[in-house]
Amino acid sequence: MNSSDSRQLTTPAPSPHDYVGTPALATPAQVIVDVLGAPEPQLCDPAEPMIFADDLAAVRGDGVFETLMLRNGEVHNLQRHATRFVTSAAMLDLGEPDLDRWLAATELAAEAFGASVGAPEAALRWVYSRGRESTGQATGWVTVAPIAADVLTARQSGVKVMTAERGFRIDLSERSPWALIGAKTLSYAANMAALRYAKAHGLQDVIFVSDEGHVLEGPTSSVVVLRDNTLVTPPIEAGVLPGTTQAALFRVAEEQGWETAYEVLSVQDLIESDGVWLVSSVRVQARVTELDGHEMPRAECADEIEQMMWEAVAH
Ligand code: PLP
């Protein structure tokens, strides 16, 4: 599999025009580090294939990943990502990741990216697969790629969003542990399909709702809502991924005297709120400017909230 194929497992295939900071490159620059294939993490040639055709990441999406923000040579919210990575791996019965090894690979990848591409911001991804079907040997790799232009646009101009049924009840995680709710698995095809559907309808993003109409999360983001001077997000038990950005934001907000809460929310709650944001590690924040056709005006304190979001990812 070549470098662009490995990226397609987790994000929609970008065109070279989607990249910023590297306009002269005909193909997206990318750094790849093989984490588990040799005694020590090793840089790979991004123009060469690096996994086998029977890798269960490619064949079944059977593995876990993390996407971290790399800014000026440093990865952010590392501890939160590492903790979720270990939890996700445990939920899939994968061997416990050797974090020292993943951190060494991350350092190698960040250095190589700084030396070869040098864009100030990038997405650094950890991928840990059940490995080869034929050998049972786990595989793992780290990639770094520049940030897509639509992420930058979403930060600046916000996003028009549709709600979409996720197709399960809110108690699925309790009833069906095999649904892997709360694990960051590689099986993102449905999430990507929802985003493509939204884009085909002139929108930029999606908020999933449960069968009961409870707000869950975006396909690649957590939902944060401002109401009554409180920052609110759906509880993890609702069936969402525990977001590292949302968690870091709540800590910063509490330090600055804001109230925070985990609450079950309806779509109407969002429409009547003082603001809704989609937050995630690389995007940081994108304010929802329109939800199911309802305009969402910008609250006076939106600048302050977005400032806290940036502070939250600065560590
Ligand atoms: N929910 C889902 C489904 C996601 O894929 C992501 C990130 O990709 C998030 C939430 C936000 O997580 P984080 O803030 O850790 O990037």
Side-chain angles (χ1 to χ4, degrees), residues 105-308:
T106 301
E107 217 169 287
L108 184 60
E111 270 174 26
F113 184 79
S116 64
V117 184
E121 283 192 86
L124 185 146
R125 183 166 294 142
W126 297 351
V127 181
Y128 177 28
S129 161
R130 196 172 304 282
R132 295 194 65 183
E133 196 164 30
S134 54
T135 64
Q137 192 64 43
T139 51
W141 58 96
V142 172
T143 61
V144 191
I147 295 186
D150 62 352
V151 171
L152 301 181
T153 308
R155 283 178 186 169
Q156 279 153 18
S157 313
V159 282
K160 293 182 181 169
V161 172
M162 58 175 272
T163 56
E165 289 174 38
R166 183 172 250 183
F168 56 68
R169 287 205 331 246
I170 208 156
D171 61 350
L172 181 71
S173 52
E174 257 168 52
R175 289 181 298 120
S176 311
W178 52 87
L180 298 174
I181 307 295
K184 197 163 167 66
T185 78
L186 290 169
S187 306
Y188 262 51
N191 296 29
M192 296 302 117
L195 282 176
R196 281 197 304 276
Y197 184 92
K199 284 175 186 168
H201 289 80
L203 306 168
Q204 288 88 43
D205 221 309
V206 170
I207 292 178
F208 286 126
V209 293
S210 71
D211 279 1
E212 305 89 337
H214 296 156
V215 170
L216 297 171
E217 62 190 344
T220 61
S221 62
S222 309
V223 175
V224 172
V225 180
L226 173 66
R227 64 168 188 175
D228 304 330
N229 282 319
T230 303
L231 290 178
V232 186
T233 198
I236 306 298
E237 306 78 60
V240 298
L241 189 74
T244 63
T245 315
Q246 169 272 317
L249 167 66
F250 275 27
R251 186 189 43 76
V252 170
E254 285 157 18
E255 280 168 10
Q256 299 191 15
W258 286 80
E259 296 285 325
T260 63
Y262 292 84
E263 278 172 23
V264 171
L265 297 160
S266 67
V267 175
Q268 195 57 29
D269 289 334
L270 266 49
I271 290 168
E272 290 169 7
S273 73
D274 300 315
V276 178
W277 284 264
L278 301 182
V279 303
S280 62
S281 302
V282 173
R283 146 186 26 209
V284 184
Q285 58 78 28
R287 194 179 75 80
V288 176
T289 57
E290 189 186 296
L291 181 59
D292 287 347
H294 298 269
E295 208 179 310
M296 304 285 291
R298 186 174 175 85
E300 262 182 31
C301 60
D303 283 353
E304 191 183 337
I305 289 169
E306 289 170 10
Q307 181 59 34
M308 289 193 294

